Amino acid sequence: MERIIIGIFFLGFISGLLCRFIPSKVKYLKEIISGLVSIIYLAFSILLFKNTPYYITEIFLIDRFSIFISIFVSLFTLLTLIYSFSYFENFENSNRYYCYILWTLASSIGAVFSNNLILFSVFWGILAITLYLLLNISGEENAYPAKKTMIIVGGSDSFLIFGICGLIYLTGKYTITDISIFIASGLEIGIFFSLICASLAKAGCMPLHTWIPEISEKTDSIIMAYLPASLDKLLGIYLFSRILLNLFEYNPDFHSQLWFLLRLIGSLTIVCAVLMAIVQHNMKKLLSYHAVSQVGYMVLGISCANSAGIVGGLFHMLNNSIYKSLLFFGAGNIEKTTNEVELEKLGGIGKFMPITFLTFLIGSLSISGVPPFNGFFSKYLIYQGLFERTKSGDFEWSIWIICAMIGSALTLASFLKIIHSVFLGHKKDYLNEVKEVSLSMRIPVIILSSLCIIFGFGFIFPVRVFENSTNYILDKNFEYLIPSLNLIFVSLIFGFIIYLIFIGIKERKVGTFIGGEVKLKEMEMSGTEFYKTIEKERFFSRMYIGAKNKIFDLYDDFKRILFYIGQGIRATHTGVLPTYLTWILFGCILLFVIFMKF
Amino acid sequence: MSVIYIFSYFVLFFVVLSIIGLFASWIDRKLTARIQWRVGPPWYQNFADIIKLSGKEVLIPENANKFMFIFSPILAVISSTICGSIIFLVLKERFGFGGDLILLVYLLTIPSLSIILGGSSSGNVLASVGISRELKLLLSYELPFICGIIIPAIKSGSTTSLIEIIKHQQIYGSNIFSLSGIIGFIIILISSCGKIGVVPFDLAEAETEIAGGSLIEYSGILLGFYKLAKSILFVVVPLFIVILYLGGSAINSFSGFLIFVVKYLIVLILITLIRNTNPRLRIDQILRFFWGWLTLIGILGILLTLSGV
C-alpha cells in the first residue's frame, strides 16, 4: 500500500517534469499526459474511498476526510485541465503551466495524506512555491502581486515550521494523529497561533487575505479558479480543522477566549470582505473579495465547537470551492470572449452566452445561500450551530448570527450587481459579435453547476462523510428538511411547465419604453452605480477611503513601518564614496572600542 | 410522499393562497380607501384584475433576455407559494423541524430576487433604477429583520423550529407580552413593510417617480403573476409575524381558528395603517433608518431578551 502511494506521488512530480521539457510547439502531448495523470489521481482517490476507509501509519494519514478532500483536489485539477485545453491554446508558456499544475496536484495530495509533520511541512512549502510560479505565468505585470503573495504565504509557512518545531519539542512525537495538546501555557498558545496563522494565510482569511484581491486583476481566471478559489481553501481549512480537532484539546476554561478570537476573525472577515466586494468595478477583483469573505463562514462554523457548526463549516469549505471555481471559470469565459473584465464596459451578453449565464447564475445563487442550492445547506448548518449556542445566554452569539446572515444578503446583492451589469441590463453595441465559448470551456462549468444542484438536493451524502470523519454526529433533526426540498423541487418543475406553456404563446416584440423618449447612452445605468449611495454614507465612506489607502493591509502596514524605520538609514545613503568610507571608519573605531572592553 | 401527492398539495396551496391573498389585498385597498375618504373597490376587484390581465397580450422588449424575463414572475409566485405552504403545514399539520425558521428567512428573499432579475432582464433604464433601489432596500431591511427573528428564537429556548416557538408561547404566553417582545414586534413589523414593498418602502416601483420601476416592461399575465406574488406575500409575511410574536395558535378547533384569523387581521391592518400614514422615503433615508436606529433598537431588544426582560 505504501509503495502505491509513494508511486502515485512520484508519478505526479515526474510527469510534471516531463511536461516541462516538452517544447511548446508539440501539440496535445502535454495535455494528454497531464489529463491522464489527473484521471489516475481521481480514480485512485475514488478507489481508496470505496475500499480503504482507514489507513493510518507513521507516515500516511488516510481517513475518510483526507480521501474526500483528495477526490475533490483531483477533480478540480481535471476540470482545470479540461478548461485550459481551449483557454491556453497556443500559449507560449504552456509547458511551464502543465508542469506546475501537476506539481501542485501531487504536493496537495501529499500534504493531505501525510501524517508526519515534517513531510507535511515539505509538501506545504512546495505548494507555496508552485503558487508563486503559477502566478508568474500570467506575465511580468503580475510580478509585484506574486512577490506579495510569496511573502505572505511563504512568511506564514515559516510560522508553520515554527509551530511544528514547537509541537515536536513539547511532545517528542512526529505524527499528527498521536499529538493532542492541552493548552495551558504561553508556549502552547504561541504554537497554536503560528499554526492557525499558516492555515488562515493559505485560505485567505482576514487579516492575511490581501494577496488574493491583489493578484486577482492580472492573473488568468483559470489560475484564480484553481488555486485561491478552490485548492487553497480546501487545504487551508483542512489544516485549520486538523489543528482544532486533532492537534489541540478543547479546554473550556482557557480555550474559550481563543475560540472567541477565531469567531471574531471569522465574522469580521465575512462582513468586511463582502462590504469591499460590493463596491468593486473589476469582476475578478469582486469575485476575489468573495473568496475571502466565504472563508469567514468556515472559520466561524468550525470555531462554534459543536457538531452542526463543525460539519457545516467543513461542508461550506467543499461547497465554496465548487461554486467559487465555477464563478471564476465563468469570469474566464467572459474575459476570453470579450477581452473585458470591467463591469461598466459589459452588458446584456446573457442572450449570446446562455450556458455561461445560467451556470454563473447558479453559482451566484449558491454562494448567496439561496435554497435549494448547496451553499444554503452549509450555511444552514452553521446557523444551527450558532443558534444552538445562544442557549448559553452570551450576547456574542447573536452578533455572530447577525454578521453571518447580513453577509449572505450582501453577497446576494453584489452578485446581482454582476449579473445585471454583465449578463442582463443594457446591451453594449460592440458586444454584438459575442458567441458562446468552446466545448472544453463549457464542460467544467456545466459539471460544477450540476454539483451545486446535486449537493443541494443530496446534501445528506457529504454531510454524512464529514460527520463520520470528524466523529461529530448531528442530531436527526436536519433530515426533516427533505420534505421541504421535495416541495421546492416539485414547485420548480411546476414553474418550468408554466414557462414552457408561455414559450408557446405568441408574444409581441416591442422597444423599451422610457416615457416615450429615445434612449441615450448617458441614461444607461450599470451595476457599478448601484451602491454609490452606500459608499457616500459617512461611516462607509471613511472605511472605503481607509481601504483604498491600504490601511487594513497588514503587508502594506508592515512595509510602511519598515520604511519609516529605514528613513534615517536611507538618508545616510547619499551615494558619495568618501561618506561611506567615513562611516566604515567610524564603525571600525566603534568595534575596536567594544572589543577592547572585553 | 410521492411526487404526485406533493404536486397536488402544491397546486392546492397555490389556489388557496391566491384566493386568501387577493382577499387580503382587497382588505388593504378598501381600508386605504376608507382612510382617504373614498368608497373603495368591491370585494371581487382583485380577482377581476387578475382575470383581465390574463386575457391581455404579452409584450416582450426586443433587447430582453427572454428566458429570465418570463421565468422571473413565475419564480416570484412559486417562491411565495412555497413560503405559504411551509407556514400552513406548520400551523395545520404540526409538521415542523429545527431550522425551518432559517429556511423561511432565506425563501422570503426569493420574491425580491425575482423582481430584480425580471427588471434587470428587461433592459429598461427605469427598470435599472428600480432594481438598484430594490437591492438597497433588500440590504437595508434584512438587518433589522434578522434582529426581529433572533428575539423570539432566543425567547423560546434557542430554537430554530417554528413549532417549538408556537409550543413555547402556548405554555408561557405570547412573545409580545414583554418589553423585548414589543421591541421585536415593532422592528419586524416595520421591516416586513419593506419586504412586502408597500409605502413608505415602495420606492422600487414608485409609479409617480419611475413609472413602475422594475415592472415597467411587464404586461399581461406576467404582470399578473407579480401582482399575485405580492398578494400572497400579504398572507405569508403577517402569518410569519403572528407565529413569531402572537402565540400563533393552532387552527384545529373553530374557536382557535377564529382567534387566529383575528390576530392575522390585526397585523394586516397595522401594516395598512403604516402604509397610509407615511410618505415614501428616499433610499438614503431608508438606509440610515434601517441600519441606524432600527438595528440599534433591535440589538437592544436582543440584549433585553438575553437578560430575560
Side-chain angles (χ1 to χ4, degrees), chain A residues 137-269:
Chain A
I137 279 186
S138 301
E140 280 180 12
E141 294 163 327
N142 221 11
Y144 173 73
K147 189 181 80 185
K148 186 169 172 177
T149 307
M150 188 63 195
I151 289 173
I152 294 177
V153 175
S156 69
D157 281 2
S158 54
F159 277 103
L160 178 80
I161 292 168
F162 170 74
I164 284 177
C165 291
L167 282 179
I168 294 169
Y169 168 74
L170 273 182
T171 59
K173 290 172 187 160
Y174 290 86
T175 36
I176 295 175
T177 42
D178 286 349
I179 296 174
S180 180
I181 291 184
F182 187 79
I183 293 190
S185 69
L187 178 65
E188 283 131 25
I189 294 176
I191 294 169
F192 179 76
F193 272 109
S194 18
L195 292 172
I196 290 288
C197 174
S199 68
L200 293 187
K202 191 84 179 163
C205 186
M206 275 185 180
L208 301 164
H209 67 290
T210 47
W211 59 278
I212 299 182
E214 188 87 40
I215 57 173
S216 63
E217 282 176 78
K218 301 283 180 223
T219 314
D220 289 294
S221 311
I222 187 166
I223 293 168
M224 288 303 290
Y226 184 57
L227 279 168
S230 55
L231 242 59
D232 284 352
K233 294 282 173 295
L234 285 177
L235 294 168
I237 299 299
Y238 173 79
L239 176 61
F240 185 75
S241 59
R242 285 270 184 229
I243 294 166
L244 289 186
L245 307 178
N246 287 35
L247 291 176
F248 287 89
E249 254 178 60
Y250 181 57
N251 175 3
D253 300 330
F254 203 79
H255 230 136
S256 64
Q257 289 148 4
L258 297 182
W259 290 67
F260 173 81
L261 193 68
L262 289 178
R263 287 192 288 270
L264 182 70
I265 290 174
S267 2
L268 275 181
T269 305

Side-chain angles (χ1 to χ4, degrees), chain B residues 249-262:
Chain B
S249 52
I251 48 175
N252 291 334
S253 67
F254 182 71
S255 58
F257 178 73
L258 219 59
I259 294 169
F260 176 78
V261 171
V262 171

Side-chain angles (χ1 to χ4, degrees), chain A residues 369 380 383-384 420 510 530 533, chain B residues 62 98 106 120 136 158 160 217:
Chain A
Y380 168 86
Y383 296 145
Q384 289 281 52
H420 173 74
V510 288
F530 283 1
T533 9
Chain B
E62 280 161 355
Y106 271 82
S120 179
K136 279 174 278 194
S158 297
T160 48
E217 292 295 340

Side-chain angles (χ1 to χ4, degrees), chain A residues 351 369 380 383-384 390-391 405 408 420 424-426 480 491 494 499 502 508 510 512-513 523 530 533 537, chain B residues 10 57-58 60-62 64 67 82 97-98 106 120 123-125 128 135-136 146 158 160 217 221 288 291:
Chain A
K351 240 178 161 180
Y380 168 86
Y383 296 145
Q384 289 281 52
T390 50
K391 273 185 193 142
M405 283 194 159
S408 153
H420 173 74
L424 302 173
H426 320 287
Y480 295 116
S491 62
F494 182 70
Y499 171 75
F502 270 96
R508 190 151 60 95
V510 288
T512 49
F513 179 78
M523 290 180 181
F530 283 1
T533 9
E537 286 298 311
Chain B
F10 178 78
E57 194 180 16
V58 175
I60 294 181
E62 280 161 355
F67 167 72
I82 294 170
F97 52 91
Y106 271 82
S120 179
N124 190 304
V125 178
S128 297
L135 267 172
K136 279 174 278 194
I146 295 163
S158 297
T160 48
E217 292 295 340
I221 188 65
R288 237 168 277 151
W291 280 9

Side-chain angles (χ1 to χ4, degrees), chain A residues 483-530:
Chain A
S484 315
L485 272 184
N486 291 340
L487 188 71
I488 294 172
F489 183 67
V490 167
S491 62
L492 282 176
I493 294 175
F494 182 70
F496 269 108
I497 292 171
I498 297 180
Y499 171 75
L500 290 178
I501 293 169
F502 270 96
I503 287 288
I505 287 180
K506 217 175 115 187
E507 83 280 341
R508 190 151 60 95
K509 294 264 178 195
V510 288
T512 49
F513 179 78
I514 316 159
E517 299 288 336
V518 180
K519 192 180 91 179
L520 297 176
K521 236 183 185 168
E522 297 83 66
M523 290 180 181
E524 286 178 1
M525 188 175 182
S526 174
T528 47
E529 285 153 54
F530 283 1

Side-chain angles (χ1 to χ4, degrees), chain B residues 101 148-149 152 162 165 169 175 188 240-246:
Chain B
L101 182 68
I149 64 154
L162 291 177
I165 292 176
Q169 293 185 75
N175 279 333
I188 205 162
F240 190 52
I241 300 176
V242 169
I243 289 178
L244 291 180
Y245 284 97
L246 296 176

